[in-house]
Every structure is written in structure tokens, then in C-alpha cells.
Amino acid sequence: MHERFGYFTPALLIFIASFLLLPTSKMVNNVYYALLALPALGVLLVRLGRDIRPSLALWLWGALCAWYVLIGFLSADGQYFKHVFYVALFVLLVSQLADSQLLRTPLFARGLFWILGCYVLGSAVVYWVLGRYAPGERVLWLPGRMTGPIYTSMWLVCCFALALPAWMAQRQWVELASAVALAVFCMAYVLQSRSGLVGMVVVGGLVVGWLALHRARYLLWLGFAGVLLVMLILFVMREVPEVASLFARADAGRFELWRILAGEWLECGLWLGCGIQHATAATILGGAPIQHPHNIYLALGLYSGFVSLLLFLALMIVVLRRAWQQRDPWGLYLFTALVVLNFDGSKLVGNPDELWLLVLLPMALIANRR
């Protein structure tokens, strides 16, 4: 049956590439509408949904979307329901209509990381040559739709996690070392984002734990490497001001922000939250406005209540369990995204944005049974 829907795999690849190749969100939205949403809707209507294979993950996703609709009736305008439909359709077409075999190959995983890494580094080099940013200055705006340093660093570490099992299985140690160097340089020097670096530490910790359980003879070497890494970090912090600034920024007001928004959530009501259109008038750091929760879990609770948070967590547990059983590398990608999104992330429902790549795409690919 996958031959009938072979169209959706290249269309999905074009959609992913559009985040790097197209400069505006409107252009990326148009790619999604024209190449994915409309054809998928047509196939589902013509086939009357006969190609949908129900699963626990799909039922939980349907329940979450239904809850979003309920919250929308209580607190949102008509535009919001269109966004719920877009998000639901994206997960449905990736999980049911696409042939995900290509996206699970080591070549795709490694290629995606290197393409994204070259996008970040190449953009920085061009900016340095043109004088838009000075070397060592934080690159705040990249040329594509994937423009911000925080989300870009998150996607980079997720792509690193996706390719890591292939590098280790194929013993591509030189390429792995080069990938670590490129990722850390892009995150610490170019993007100067701590979210991606936290993700690298978590992925490294998982690797160390796995080796400790399965390759006990490597423990001495791991300890030696850990000491060298700590010494290197201390040296870089002392000698490179741009890296030292990552630590000097401390929590950037996040703890204060989370405390304020969590309090507003409880005031509005634990189960229903404050509604989709909630905006706070509170400020942090002596007057800076709060743009969004900077935490995907707090955002779920604040805007759509504790029920949505519980459904989302249940969905993630089911999907990650399936990924573990199938040894699907997209599970490590998704787990890494769920870790780094503790430090950024807002509403899950909306037009195509970074959360589609970080959460919805891997979730749907893992749920895909083709």
C-alpha cells in the first residue's frame, strides 16, 4: 500500500527542507498547505479514512486534539480551530500516509545533521564576511525559517541524537568526533544557546550510562575522558568570553517567569488553565515583558489546563515506549527534544513552526507502522 502514498515522503522532505531554504513563515506555511495538507485531505476523503490504522498513540493524540477543541470553544476565536485542524492533519498524514523507511536510514540521519550544521556554520561565516555580525557576537537571526538561536540549537542536538546510533553502530569515530566539535562550536560560539548544550550533556550522559551497563571495560576510559572534558570546559570558560557569557547569564529570568506563570495558571484553574488567548501583564528582570512560558509543559498547563498536560505526557510515554521496543532512533530524537523544551517552547497548536519538527514529526514517525 505504501507505493500509493509514496508521494508523501518526498513532500515531507521538501517541507523539512523549507525551514532551511525559505526565509519566512508564510512561505513554509504555503509549502505545507500545497504539498502536504491538501493532498492528504484529498486522499483521506476519497478513501474515507480506510487507510488509517488505529493505535493507542493515535487515540491519545485524538483525545488531546478533542480537548484542544473544547478549550477553544471556551476561550479562542475561529482562527484557532483552523490551527487545531492543521496540527491534527499533519500528525495523521505523517503517521498514516508517509512511508517512513527512508527517514529511518543512517544516511538520512547523518545527512540531516550535517546539512543543519553546515547551515548554521555557513550562515555565520557569511555574516562574518559581510560584517553583519562580528566573530564572537551571538548570531540572533539566521536566514531561513529556522532563524532563532535557541530553537536552532535544539534542532541541532536532536539531529545529533538521531544520527548517534548510526555513528556508534558503524564505528564512525572520526565522523562522530567531528560532529561533536561542530555541534558544540555552533551552540557555544555561534548561537550561544545553552539549551542545545544541555541536550548534548544529556545525550552524552545516556551514552555513558549505556556503555557502563554494556561495556564495563570502558569505565576507566570514560572517567579519564570526563576529567579531560571538565578541564577543557574550565579552560574555555576562562579564555573565551563568549562561552563565559553563557554561564554569566544565569537563568535569564526563567525561574522568576515560571513562578509567575505557574501562579497565574493555578489562579485561573488547574484543570482548564487560563485559555488559549491568555497574556500576562507581569514583567521580569526589572521590567522585561513575558513573551511566552519558555517551557512546553508549563505552556500546556497554562493555556489548556492540566488535562492537556496529562494527555500529552501519556502520549509521549506510549510513543517513547514503542520507540524503545522497535529500537527506533527517532525515539532518542524525541526524548532529547522533550528534555531541551524544558527551557523553551510555547503553544503546540499553531501554524507550522519549530515544535512541529521537534515534537510532532518524531512522534508521528514513531507511530507510523509502515
Side-chain angles (χ1 to χ4, degrees), residues 181-193:
L182 175 63
V184 172
F185 179 79
C186 288
M187 295 172 190
Y189 190 79
V190 176
L191 303 172
Q192 297 181 25
S193 170

Side-chain angles (χ1 to χ4, degrees), residues 57-77:
L58 199 61
W59 282 114
L60 285 170
W61 172 247
L64 180 58
C65 290
W67 181 259
Y68 277 135
V69 170
L70 173 62
I71 294 297
F73 278 119
L74 297 176
S75 63
D77 55 20

